[in-house]
Amino acid sequence: MSELQSVPFEILLVEDNEDDVLLTEEAFKECGFALRIHEVADGDEALRFLRREGAHQEAPRPHLIILDLNLPRKSGLSVLKDLKSDEKLMDIPVVVLSTSKMDRDVKASYQHHANCYIIKPVDVSVFFDIVKQMVQFWFSVVALPREQ
Amino acid sequence: MDNPDLIWGILDSMADAVFLLDAERRILALNEAAARRLGRPVNELVGACLCDVCPPESRALRKDKLEQVFAEGKLVHFDDQQAGKWLSHSLYPICDAAGKVEQVLVSARDITERKQVEADLRKLNVEQQFIFDSVPAMIWYKDIHNRFLKVNKAVTRSMGMPAEAIEGKTAYELFPDEAEHYFSDDQEVIATGQPKLGIIEQVKVLATGEKRWVQTDKIPCRDEAGRVTGLLVFVMDITAIKQAEEMIKQSAEEISRANKELEQFVTIASHDIQEPLRVISNFLQLLEKRCQDQLDEKGKDYIRRAVNAAQRMQALINDLLAYSQVTRGESKELGPCRLEAVLKNAVGYLQVAIEKSRAIITHDPLPVIEGDEMQWVRVFLNMISNALKFCDKAYPVIHISAADLGQEWQLSFRDNGVGIAPEHIKLLFAVFMRLHPRNQYPGTGIGLAICKKIVERHGGSIRVESEPGKGSTFIIVVPKRKRGQP
């Protein structure tokens, strides 16, 4: 655990597939950081969470958003677009975590200012490793903006 | 001119047989030709009765003709055939002051040759008319004033009128509404003196009123001075061909649509199948991790096999998807494709495997071809990764070369791998064909099938030359320009 970590890191996971959510939770558990995972199953709810609307009035501001592209109703790309055009939300780093290897999805995500794109590996242990690296990267390597 | 000797001298020089008869049909005088015709000397014939010296076959004919001329006192003209010869006779009456026929001048001309020519001409006409009328296409001759001069049977059938009703009439009289429209093509031919061929148009059949598609050729007819005096028009009904073309077009559209649907289906199906497969694979692995201590070796083995199978299934589906997507690549625009860059790309993807196996990869200068770059990367990737994989030597050695075959390039991928037995070569490019057990060499067996499909989409071909233990050379021949383009 990082010495500088006084509060747990808040992560918003936007993923509609229950099994993938479970898998990702397990992966986070192995990271060795104090993490609080918030889960929403679609894009509209993610925006409500971030804007603290409706049921999410007490929601904390996440340090990191993990976004799947394949979401019902509102696509991940569309959520990304909204996030990165909202002044109050655009500074939260967004990691796109998707099974899609397609060039056009990768390019589109970066064009909409995703902070990075991770292709979900097929192998579970590799996946766990990647999640660990990702968490380490964002929470002990990079500097994050402080919330005013 | 009253000199009979002179007159008969002249008559003797003529080819026609001439003799003078009196009212008793006695020969008063005759010329050499007549004597020759009758087969006796002149002096024997003078004074003889014509009927006695003429060939028996013609005696009857002459008799009544002679009667006629003596009776009517008018010129009589007839033809008769004697011993294979045709003769044309003129009987000229010479009358006295009272108008009674005193003498008759008979002249006979050999017209055998003429008759033969006439017979030949008739025969030719019959033949020509037969051809003219047998041709299923419509043929007609027109003059420069839009008048029909001659039409064949097909025309009479199409117009529902006999030839006599059409020949001599103008187009304006026969079909006033369309006459001007058709005449404009005629006028072009008349004006330029050049034939106008292959005019495809839709016309209304006069007899039935139905519309048919036809192909028309208009050819100018010229007189001896070279002036255009009329047109020969040839019209062929191509309605059946047009309908066939339409059907082909529709079929092609249907096939294209079906293919698109199939592609979409394959893409969606594979995606939907991949998802639960992932879950199976992932959670089995999680299970193994979580229950490590509770599982014995057998238990762990079972889980491993299940995970393996799920992953193989994922690979199979990915490969099937890739294979089906090669078709879609065809509709993408083909552009110049630098194979050196393609090679570099492929080697880049395989960097780790290349370093691990310490492979040596060399190449000759590679050309620029017209193709889909991504697909060619796939081909090179497959060729090289196979060479790396199927190697039982200390390290793989791969060489890629290119030879100019004129209209095509020949690319060769030579390796020092395990080689392929001759009986396996023909199976090599089949989908999912594997030649080795899975635990010896992994892979779904679709790589070469994909390569073959890509190469063939570019109009090329792929083959292999190989011997077990002596490595393999894969030879790809690909046209420099896509077929059908200059």
Side-chain angles (χ1 to χ4, degrees), chain B residues 96-126:
Chain B
D96 64 13
K100 183 163 172 277
V101 182
E102 280 191 321
Q103 294 161 343
V104 167
L105 190 68
V106 178
S107 76
R109 173 174 298 171
D110 187 333
I111 55 168
T112 311
E113 214 180 289
R114 193 185 88 198
K115 282 284 182 188
Q116 185 59 46
V117 167
E118 280 175 10
D120 288 344
L121 201 63
R122 261 196 307 276
K123 190 158 161 252
L124 206 65
N125 271 339
V126 167

Side-chain angles (χ1 to χ4, degrees), chain B residues 351-366:
Chain B
Q351 206 49 45
V352 172
I354 292 172
E355 280 171 11
K356 208 162 155 188
S357 61
R358 292 181 302 157
I360 297 182
I361 303 179
T362 55
H363 69 97
D364 292 348
L366 297 177

